[in-house]
Every structure is written in C-alpha cells, then in structure tokens.
C-alpha cells in the first residue's frame, strides 16, 4: 500500500504529496468542480482546484468580478496557480463560504484585496511545494522512473510568491534540512495550539486551521474582516470538535505567525 500511495502521489501532477491524504471533514460527493458568475458579477469557485475548474474560469475570461466566493478543499497545484494568476489582477474581495484549504488557501487568498471567512467556514494550510517536498518528490521520481519536472513546478510557485510578495511562512516553506531537523523554519514563529492536555512536542500536526491573528501576520497587505463564529473559533468551546480534530492531526494555528521579512527566497 505504501508503494502504491507513493506512486499515486507522483502521478497526481502538480499536487502536494500531503494532498493525497483526505483533508479533515472531506466528503467526496462526486460533484463536478465548477465555477459560475452570478447576475451581479460575483465569481464562485467550488470544488477541487483542478483542470476542470481552470477550464471553467478560462471560459469566463477576461474576469471582472469584484467578489470571489470560495468553497474549495484544494487540489492540483499547477491548475491552482493558473487560476490564481487570473484572479490576481482583480484584487477582489474573497469570501470563504465553507472552506478554503490547501491550494485554495495557498494561492487564492494572498491575491485578494479583502478576505471574509464566513461563520462556520474554515481555512486550512498543510504545506506547499517547499524544499523538503521537492527533495522527496525528486527522489521518488528517480526511484520510480517517473518523468515529471517537480522542480519546474516548485520554481513556478516561488516566482508567483515573489511577484505577489507572499510570505513563505504562509506557504509553510521549509528546506529539506529544516524538515529533517524537526523545526518550522525561519519563515514562521510561535507555535500551533495543540490544546492544554497534549504535549505539543508529541502532537502530530498535519493540518493547521488558520486563525485571524495568523492570517493578519501572513497576509499583511490584505484587509482581513474580523472572524465571527468561524469553525476554528467554535473549536475552542467544543471539546468533541477538538477531539475529532486531534484524531485527524488537525489543530488551530495558535500563536503561529509569519516572520515579517517580506519575500525572502530560500537558500
């Protein structure tokens, strides 16, 4: 099963390896990912950030929406970057209606003018194509003789981040050495909230649910609406929700923040 999983991750072109695991709360209803433009001109992006969503967005180009409504648990990095490049000139208000996870959070939210996370909605980060992921994928590709240029995708992500002055802390960027040393890296400070009953050194943290303070620290050029009754806020008052999250290696961002050094290219 482990070898099959690794090969599957390699063949999901442009996807994060972590994305091969189900995100917490994910239910696959077989819905076709799509976008739509309302009579008021709002653009809604719903479903996986894959080729189907990209093709749908391209059908509406050139885009003119002032509001983009998001309900996506992420997906293909390459398609997400292409969509984000089309969203960037809009500088739109982005509404997280239910969820914005993974590639949706990594690449769509940083190019917003304003972000609103609606009650009950949540934003999840679980890494990007960083130095460690690049090393891991290139090693697996060599082992399996899979021909896909992960370095080109990594470099494309980094160029997008540089153009839009996206903090590498938002992308949870770590070098391979930093990952192997078990540290969060120089682009983040603080710590994830792992609840008072757990030793944070022992908690396995796979998914970080973004709180308002982290979003503000990482996306300093974006107007962030105050969080009101978001899912991460509910977790602090709901023991059952906290227990379910911890079983899925999911925790609030806590005091985690991006280091305010602008865009700093990795070594």
């Amino acid at each position: 099963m482990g070898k099959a999983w690794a090969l599957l991750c390699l063949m999901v072109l442009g996807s994060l390896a972590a994305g091969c695991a189900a995100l917490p709360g994910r239910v696959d209803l077989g819905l076709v990912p799509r976008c739509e433009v309302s009579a008021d001109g709002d653009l809604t992006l719903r479903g996986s950030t894959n080729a189907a969503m990209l093709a749908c967005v391209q059908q509406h180009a050139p885009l003119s929406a002032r509001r983009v409504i998001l309900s996506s648990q992420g997906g293909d990095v390459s398609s997400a970057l292409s969509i984000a490049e089309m969203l960037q000139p809009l500088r739109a208000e982005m509404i997280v209606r239910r969820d914005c996870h993974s590639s949706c959070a990594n690449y769509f939210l940083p190019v917003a003018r304003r972000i609103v996370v609606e009650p009950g909605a949540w934003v999840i980060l679980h890494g990007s194509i960083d130095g460690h992921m690049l090393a891991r994928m290139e090693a697996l590709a060599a082992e399996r003789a899979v021909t896909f240029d992960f370095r080109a995708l990594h470099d494309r992500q980094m160029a997008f981040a540089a153009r839009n002055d996206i903090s590498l802390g938002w992308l949870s960027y770590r070098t391979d050495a930093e990952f192997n040393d078990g540290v969060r890296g120089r682009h983040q400070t603080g710590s994830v909230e792992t609840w008072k009953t757990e030793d944070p050194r022992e908690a396995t943290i796979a998914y970080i649910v973004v709180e308002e303070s982290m979003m503000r620290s990482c996306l300093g050029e974006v107007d962030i609406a105050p969080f009101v009754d978001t899912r991460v806020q509910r977790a602090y008052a709901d023991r059952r929700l906290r227990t379910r999250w911890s079983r899925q290696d999911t925790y609030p961002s806590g005091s985690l923040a991006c280091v305010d050094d602008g865009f700093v290219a990795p070594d």
Side-chain angles (χ1 to χ4, degrees):
M1 180 63 72
K3 292 181 178 179
W5 175 87
L7 185 58
L8 174 62
C9 286
L10 282 168
M11 298 308 295
V12 179
L13 303 184
S15 292
L16 297 176
C20 293
L23 283 163
R26 183 162 198 160
V27 177
D28 186 358
L29 300 178
L31 299 176
V32 176
R34 62 195 180 101
C35 68
E36 56 189 9
V37 177
S38 71
D40 296 330
D42 293 344
L43 172 65
T44 296
L45 300 179
R46 185 184 300 111
S48 177
T49 60
N50 59 12
M53 179 184 282
L54 172 59
C56 184
V57 174
Q58 289 172 331
Q59 289 178 358
H60 294 285
L63 302 178
S64 59
R66 298 301 298 159
R67 293 205 322 162
V68 177
I69 300 168
L70 301 169
S71 184
S72 171
Q73 292 192 328
D76 174 15
V77 173
S78 180
S79 294
L81 282 169
S82 294
I83 295 167
E85 288 164 354
M86 298 174 70
L87 296 177
Q88 186 275 329
L90 300 177
R91 290 300 179 190
E93 178 181 46
M94 294 194 182
I95 313 294
V96 181
R97 180 131 297 168
R98 188 179 72 176
D99 40 36
C100 182
H101 300 171
S102 188
S103 292
C104 174
N106 282 351
Y107 312 120
F108 295 177
L109 295 184
V111 301
R113 171 183 56 83
R114 184 170 189 264
I115 295 171
V116 177
V117 181
E118 292 190 334
W122 54 341
V123 174
I124 288 183
L125 301 175
H126 66 110
S128 65
I129 303 182
D130 61 5
H132 166 68
M133 185 63 65
L134 177 62
R136 182 182 178 189
M137 290 294 98
E138 287 189 330
L140 282 171
E143 177 186 340
R144 294 293 168 184
V146 175
T147 55
F148 179 73
D149 193 348
F150 285 98
R151 185 167 295 277
L153 186 59
H154 167 275
D155 292 349
R156 183 184 175 197
Q157 172 193 265
M158 301 310 290
F160 177 81
R163 287 196 306 272
N164 293 284
D165 197 24
I166 300 172
S167 168
L168 294 186
W170 182 251
L171 297 178
S172 303
Y173 194 100
R174 289 188 286 182
T175 65
D176 194 37
E178 286 170 337
F179 179 90
N180 292 328
D181 288 342
V183 298
R184 288 216 158 268
R186 60 190 168 112
H187 304 293
Q188 291 181 339
T189 187
S191 60
V192 174
E193 174 59 73
T194 55
W195 314 122
K196 303 300 186 255
T197 57
E198 283 196 63
D199 183 342
R201 294 170 298 179
E202 297 179 357
T204 299
I205 302 168
Y207 306 105
I208 297 172
V209 188
V210 178
E211 298 183 66
E212 182 182 334
S213 60
M214 182 185 183
M215 187 176 287
R216 289 186 182 279
S217 79
C218 297
L219 306 181
E221 300 302 314
V222 181
D223 179 19
I224 310 296
F227 282 26
V228 178
D229 195 29
T230 61
R231 195 173 306 191
V232 70
Q233 291 170 308
R234 293 177 183 178
Y236 280 92
D238 189 334
R239 181 181 296 274
R240 289 179 299 178
L241 183 57
R242 295 198 302 269
T243 298
R244 185 162 70 247
W245 281 11
S246 65
R247 288 172 179 166
Q248 297 174 311
D249 300 328
T250 301
Y251 297 93
S253 56
S255 63
L256 200 65
C258 291
V259 175
D260 187 17
D261 55 5
F263 178 85
V264 179
D267 295 331

